[in-house]
């Protein structure tokens, strides 16, 4: 089992690492016990961070795009130099296997590769003898980035990198369940950034509204649940902040009747169970043609049997615990409810004995819409598999939800799959894969799964205001 010495990280306010007004215990989900107390910021400390951010903004926005991109490459260097420590912290606080934590940090570096070389030219609408009109992109100012516990470092870097490249400064508030690695990252970044450009303030959920309602913050980029997203939008309205909301999903996948079950079983399984199912755009409901239902269930179960659930630091483990107790209780309740409603847990894996937030890898069949496991987002290692006989009906059932994050179609006929994909209401629809989220492609939800996107030039533009320069000649 890997070990690493943990130094308690501090808040970063105005370029300094400081103690909090209070402390926040953080639990290792593989033991269910606190392993560290991190500093928690008071409202006054948040005010201080907002003042420091506003003081840093004019200098940062005046820095050229190339120099800002040099700075984000320096961030990547810092992350590379500290990857062992950061991955270790992610594993202890989040629960995922160490190799997955390293993978999460690798994805952060790809953010830098992409945004570190992007160009941001003005759009010229007119340039003739009568005048010139150009559309420029200006940074919004101070960004509040609120993140969640499933990919703590990646969620922070998804916001931080494009925000900085676009000329903004940012205050990150990590989830109270997983603040440790993000706080440590904040400390490390002070080596390469001017004071106040990136600050990390941890605290309880109450720090969230303090940030979203703060008059000195100009944009909120939020990742989390739909109910909290609505609160964020309401609170941001008071000062008309710009908002990007990356919220929950209940992604459907539709398998077409031409698939080879043995060929898709593995990918279908991991589409739902990567990161122990704690992925916003994981496959959460799978629609399978009745003609191939048993074979596909068997193929998915065969892959499920390869899963080794255990502490993320242990060798040979490829799935960790559920990250926190309320989430574990929710997954348990939805699963038990589905079984009580007549569902069959046709696969249920092994979990370690003893304490820790363990939940067995579970595949359910024999349930339909109207069961909360199907209608709601479990966000854990359980997936219902539903049968259909009519493809139009499957499409209608897949779309019959307020969520609209991702969806997928599985088929050996790519044209046929693409035609079905066009009919699915989601921000991303994948064919023969699910989910794929990268720095270079926009990712976001429709309906109640969110507003706006992260990733790609579109994601960067969300950290800008349009400014028109119109010259009469
Ligand atoms: P949550 O909404 O409870 O918490 C997310 C963050 O919001 C935390 O940092 C929390 O402290 C903060 N917060 C809580 N109350 C707040 C308030 N009133 N104002 C401002 N901030 C507040 O999230 P959760 O339910 O623990 O996380 C799981 C959800 O996140 C799932 O629905 C999942 O699908 C979603 N998620 C979405 C994405 C995406 O990119 N679309 C990515 C990861 C997770």
């Amino acid at each position: 089992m890997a070990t690493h010495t943990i130094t308690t990280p501090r808040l970063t306010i105005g370029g300094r690492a400081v103690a909090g007004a209070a402390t926040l215990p953080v639990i290792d989900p593989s033991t269910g016990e606190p392993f560290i107390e991190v500093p928690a910021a008071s409202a006054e400390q948040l005010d201080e961070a907002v003042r420091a951010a506003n003081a840093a903004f004019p200098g940062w926005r005046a820095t050229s795009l190339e120099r800002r991109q040099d700075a984000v490459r320096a961030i990547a260097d810092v992350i590379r130099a500290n990857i062992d420590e950061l991955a270790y912290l992610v594993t202890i606080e989040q629960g995922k296997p160490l190799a997955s934590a390293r993978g999460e940090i690798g994805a952060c570096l790809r953010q830098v590769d992409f945004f570190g070389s992007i160009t941001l030219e003005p759009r010229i609408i007119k340039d003739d003898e009568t005048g010139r009109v150009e559309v420029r992109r200006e940074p919004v100012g101070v960004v509040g980035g609120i993140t969640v516990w499933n990919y703590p470092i990646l969620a922070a870097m998804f916001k931080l990198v494009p925000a900085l490249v676009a000329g903004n400064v940012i205050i990150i508030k990590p989830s109270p369940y997983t603040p440790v690695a993000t706080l440590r990252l904040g400390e490390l970044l002070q080596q390469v950034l001017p004071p106040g450009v990136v600050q990390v303030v941890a605290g309880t959920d109450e720090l969230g509204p303090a940030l979203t309602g703060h008059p000195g913050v100009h944009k909120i980029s939020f990742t989390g649940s739909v109910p909290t997203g609505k609160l964020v939008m309401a609170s941001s309205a008071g000062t008309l902040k710009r908002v990007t909301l990356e919220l929950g999903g209940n992604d459907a996948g539709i398998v077409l009747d031409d698939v080879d079950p043995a060929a898709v079983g593995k990918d279908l399984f991991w589409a739902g169970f990567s990161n122990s199912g704690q992925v916003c755009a994981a496959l959460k409901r799978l629609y399978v043609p009745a003609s191939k239902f048993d074979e596909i269930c068997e193929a998915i179960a065969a892959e499920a049997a390869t899963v080794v659930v255990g502490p993320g630091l242990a060798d040979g483990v490829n799935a960790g615990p559920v990250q926190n107790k309320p989430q574990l209780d929710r997954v348990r309740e939805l699963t038990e409810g589905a079984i009580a409603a007549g569902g069959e847990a046709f696969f249920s894996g092994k979990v370690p004995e003893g304490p820790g937030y363990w939940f067995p890898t579970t595949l359910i069949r024999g349930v339909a819409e109207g069961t909360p496991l199907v209608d709601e987002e479990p966000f854990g290692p359980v997936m219902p598999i539903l049968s259909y006989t009519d493809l139009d009906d499957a499409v209608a059932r897949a779309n019959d939800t307020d969520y609209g994050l991702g969806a997928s179609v599985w088929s050996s006929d790519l044209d046929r799959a693409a035609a079905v994909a066009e009919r699915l209401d989601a921000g991303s629809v994948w064919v023969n894969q699910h989910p794929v989220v990268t720095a270079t492609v926009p990712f976001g939800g429709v309906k109640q799964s969110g507003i706006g996107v992260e990733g790609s030039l579109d994601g960067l533009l969300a950290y800008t205001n349009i400014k028109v320069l119109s010259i009469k000649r």
Side-chain angles (χ1 to χ4, degrees):
M1 187 170 306
T3 55
H4 208 287
T5 310
I6 300 177
T7 315
T8 304
R10 288 163 296 171
L11 311 172
T12 40
I13 299 179
R16 289 178 308 116
V18 297
T23 58
L24 186 69
V26 184
I27 290 173
D28 171 353
S30 73
T31 63
E33 296 293 332
F35 71 98
I36 194 170
E37 298 236 338
V38 297
S42 61
E44 292 71 31
Q45 286 181 308
L46 178 65
D47 284 344
E48 213 185 308
V50 174
R51 274 196 300 278
N54 278 287
F57 175 58
W60 186 251
R61 81 178 293 179
T63 307
S64 69
L65 175 65
E66 292 71 26
R67 293 287 81 77
R68 296 198 299 259
Q69 289 176 318
D70 287 345
V72 295
R73 277 189 286 277
I75 291 175
D77 291 342
V78 168
I79 291 177
R80 264 187 221 101
N82 294 279
I83 191 165
D84 290 345
E85 180 189 3
L86 291 169
Y88 183 82
L89 294 177
V90 168
T91 289
I92 295 213
E93 66 179 336
Q94 203 285 329
K96 68 185 66 181
L98 199 51
S100 307
R102 293 183 80 91
E104 177 176 339
I105 294 168
C108 296
L109 300 175
R110 289 192 287 281
Q111 292 284 312
V112 171
D113 288 344
F114 176 70
F115 289 110
S117 55
I118 207 164
T119 53
L120 206 52
E121 300 297 331
R123 184 158 52 97
I124 311 301
I125 290 185
K126 160 178 163 170
D127 192 11
D128 60 22
E129 65 286 353
T130 63
R132 177 179 169 91
V133 178
E134 61 181 60
V135 179
R136 296 177 172 203
R137 292 291 184 155
E138 302 275 318
V140 257
V142 176
V143 175
I146 300 178
T147 59
V148 67
W149 45 261
N150 59 340
Y151 288 92
I153 286 279
L154 186 58
M157 287 289 283
F158 252 75
K159 303 181 188 315
L160 185 158
V161 176
L164 259 49
V165 168
N168 304 277
V169 298
I170 189 165
I171 300 171
I172 302 272
K173 190 209 81 64
S175 165
Y177 291 115
T178 52
V180 188
T182 315
L183 282 168
R184 181 69 185 126
L185 179 67
E187 279 186 324
L188 291 166
L189 295 190
Q190 304 312 306
Q191 299 165 12
V192 293
L193 293 170
V197 170
V198 171
Q199 303 174 90
V200 180
V201 292
T204 61
D205 283 350
E206 285 170 24
L207 201 57
L211 190 59
T212 57
H214 204 295
V217 176
H218 311 105
K219 151 116 195 174
I220 295 292
S221 178
F222 172 81
T223 304
S225 64
V226 172
T228 312
K230 291 177 182 175
L231 295 175
V232 167
M233 196 162 173
S235 166
S236 299
T239 45
L240 284 180
K241 290 181 181 61
R242 282 78 187 116
V243 288
T244 298
L245 303 175
E246 292 287 354
L247 309 180
N250 191 13
D251 291 14
I254 301 181
V255 177
L256 304 190
D257 56 11
D258 54 44
V259 295
D260 170 5
V264 293
K266 180 176 180 175
D267 287 348
L268 281 172
F269 174 77
W270 287 108
F273 287 85
S274 178
N275 208 34
S276 296
Q278 301 164 121
V279 178
C280 50
L283 174 59
K284 291 176 182 145
R285 299 172 283 152
L286 183 63
Y287 291 90
V288 172
S291 58
K292 293 213 163 151
F293 192 77
D294 290 345
E295 276 177 282
I296 286 174
C297 285
E298 270 168 38
I300 297 173
E303 185 62 23
T306 69
V307 173
V308 181
V309 178
L313 293 176
D315 293 333
V317 159
N318 60 358
V322 174
Q323 199 281 327
N324 59 72
K325 179 73 167 54
Q327 193 61 38
L328 176 69
D329 292 343
R330 176 166 169 72
V331 173
R332 199 172 270 154
E333 186 186 317
L334 289 173
T335 306
E336 288 171 1
I339 292 167
E344 177 204 358
F346 69 95
F347 181 90
S348 183
K350 293 194 181 64
V351 290
E353 302 211 337
Y357 302 148
W358 305 112
F359 192 84
T361 304
T362 304
L363 294 167
I364 302 271
R365 64 184 168 200
V367 287
E369 291 77 5
T371 308
L373 179 69
V374 177
D375 297 346
E376 297 173 22
E377 178 190 34
F379 213 60
V382 55
M383 184 168 76
I385 303 180
L386 301 102
S387 168
Y388 76 85
T389 46
D390 175 69
L391 183 55
D392 290 341
D393 181 50
V395 170
R397 290 160 71 189
N399 285 337
D400 188 16
T401 170
D402 286 335
Y403 290 107
L405 195 54
S408 58
V409 185
W410 301 74
S411 171
S412 54
D413 179 338
L414 299 186
D415 291 337
R416 193 173 164 226
V420 177
E422 273 188 33
R423 299 166 61 197
L424 292 173
D425 303 331
S428 305
V429 187
W430 298 283
V431 170
N432 294 334
Q433 52 184 358
H434 191 149
V436 186
V437 180
T438 66
T440 56
V441 177
F443 172 71
V446 299
K447 297 197 270 185
Q448 294 192 23
S449 283
I451 293 181
V453 296
E454 292 192 306
S456 80
L457 177 62
D458 299 300
L460 181 134
L461 295 180
Y463 291 101
T464 65
N465 286 323
I466 283 181
K467 179 173 175 182
V468 174
L469 178 63
S470 183
I471 299 169
K472 182 179 169 196
R473 286 191 174 121

